[in-house]
Amino acid sequence: MAHVSATVYTSHVPAIGAALDHGRAAEPYWAPVFAGYEASRAWLREDPPDAIVLVFNDHATAFGPDLVPTFAIGTGESYAPADEGWGARPVPVVQGHPELAAHIAQSVIQDDFDLTLVNRMDVDHGLTVPLSLLFGQPPAHDFRWPCPVIPLAVNVVQYPVPSGRRCLALGRAIRKAIESYGEDLNVQVWGTGGMSHQLQGPRAGLINPVFDHAFMDMLTTVPEAAAAIPHVDYVREAGSEGIELVMWLVARGAMPERADGRAPTCVHRFYHVPASNTALGHLVLAP
């Protein structure tokens, strides 16, 4: 049967994609950011996934004020990089996994989560930047991502947004669905977004390393405590866009629990300030 072999967590700062796309990754400002992912890239090369469920938020490209699903799963064959106002990123089209996505949708909806099914959408930096960070830029002679990706969009833009508890529970339902899929697949679940940042208002530029490190600690060892953080605490401590961290809880819920009750193994952990106007965080957890 399919299984969740690991969960991956990363920020999805759009300026990171621009730095890669314009050949600036080796510049002194950006080099430490990309160096922080080298260990994870090596780990992925040693044990590549057969498929990824990638949790992200849309930034008004696939969805807008007229349609704001709380949770939406991509069930299509493929997803083109979105034009976010300055042209689409020069990265490959994302290939989906319709069979696994349909199975997850069936299972999760029967477990009382009301997913929106999306058969066609473009995907923006929220999905493509994590792929670039963890896989690098695909070469011209083999211009494709290494494996199929199932997009799972979470609304963290338009209130009301889902609670951390709901996101953690959704992750557990996704794990149950994956483990009941009748094909031997190595599946990873990635949670993206964050960490602390605020893009507007008097507190624009806010970054809170203390909160960010505490969140990564809780997420790893006591996810229920992280899931209990109320929305107002995210806004107060991590800025208005810090609420994106609830998407990490979906991935954490998908992590298989150890029989002895201990925390999962931390394969890699990285934190860097600043990446553009955002605190960048990255974790890899394995059962």
Side-chain angles (χ1 to χ4, degrees):
M1 307 296 280
H3 64 283
V4 177
S5 61
T7 54
V8 177
Y9 311 81
T10 182
S11 304
H12 59 215
V13 184
I16 292 174
L20 284 168
D21 300 342
H22 294 95
R24 298 173 56 195
E27 293 181 1
Y29 182 88
W30 289 111
V33 170
F34 298 110
Y37 284 80
E38 288 177 0
S40 295
R41 290 192 206 104
W43 167 79
L44 277 166
R45 287 192 295 270
E46 292 177 3
D47 187 18
D50 297 313
I52 295 167
V53 177
L54 199 153
V55 186
F56 76 111
N57 68 288
D58 175 75
H59 301 79
T61 54
F63 309 117
D66 294 336
L67 178 64
V68 188
T70 301
F71 299 117
I73 187 169
T75 50
E77 294 279 353
S78 62
Y79 311 93
D83 183 347
E84 300 184 60
W86 48 85
R89 291 192 63 214
V91 295
V93 169
V94 176
Q95 298 301 316
H97 197 308
E99 297 81 11
L100 178 58
H103 176 81
I104 291 172
Q106 167 72 17
S107 178
V108 168
I109 289 172
Q110 290 302 309
D111 276 341
D112 302 328
F113 286 89
D114 300 321
L115 297 185
T116 298
L117 309 185
V118 185
N119 292 314
R120 183 168 56 188
M121 66 174 169
D122 293 346
V123 289
D124 62 23
H125 69 269
L127 187 139
T128 63
V129 165
L131 292 175
S132 294
L133 279 168
L134 274 303
F135 290 126
Q137 297 292 75
H141 68 274
D142 191 20
F143 196 61
R144 59 181 177 174
W145 297 115
C147 70
V149 175
I150 297 172
L152 184 76
V154 178
N155 169 41
V156 292
V157 174
Q158 176 66 56
Y159 277 83
V161 301
S163 69
R165 293 184 303 276
R166 191 65 169 161
C167 289
L168 187 69
L170 173 60
R172 288 169 174 161
I174 289 170
R175 182 183 72 213
K176 174 185 172 184
I178 292 169
E179 291 175 346
S180 67
Y181 186 65
E183 183 180 346
D184 184 15
L185 291 179
N186 170 2
V187 182
Q188 293 179 2
V189 181
W190 294 13
T192 75
M195 297 188 86
S196 61
H197 64 299
Q198 179 153 328
L199 302 180
Q200 69 287 307
R203 297 199 308 161
L206 179 147
I207 287 176
N208 187 346
V210 173
F211 177 89
D212 293 337
H213 283 291
F215 182 84
M216 286 197 283
D217 291 341
M218 282 191 292
L219 186 81
T220 303
T221 60
V222 279
E224 288 79 8
I229 298 172
H231 290 162
V232 67
D233 284 7
Y234 284 108
V235 175
R236 182 194 305 112
E237 302 296 334
S240 53
E241 278 68 47
I243 190 63
E244 291 178 351
L245 288 169
V246 297
M247 296 186 289
W248 290 33
L249 287 158
V250 180
R252 182 64 178 88
M255 168 63 66
E257 301 296 335
R258 291 174 55 139
D260 59 9
R262 294 166 59 193
T265 299
C266 182
V267 176
H268 184 56
R269 176 168 170 163
F270 174 63
Y271 184 80
H272 179 83
V273 172
S276 183
N277 54 3
T278 302
L280 181 144
H282 172 47
L283 278 173
V284 176
L285 301 180

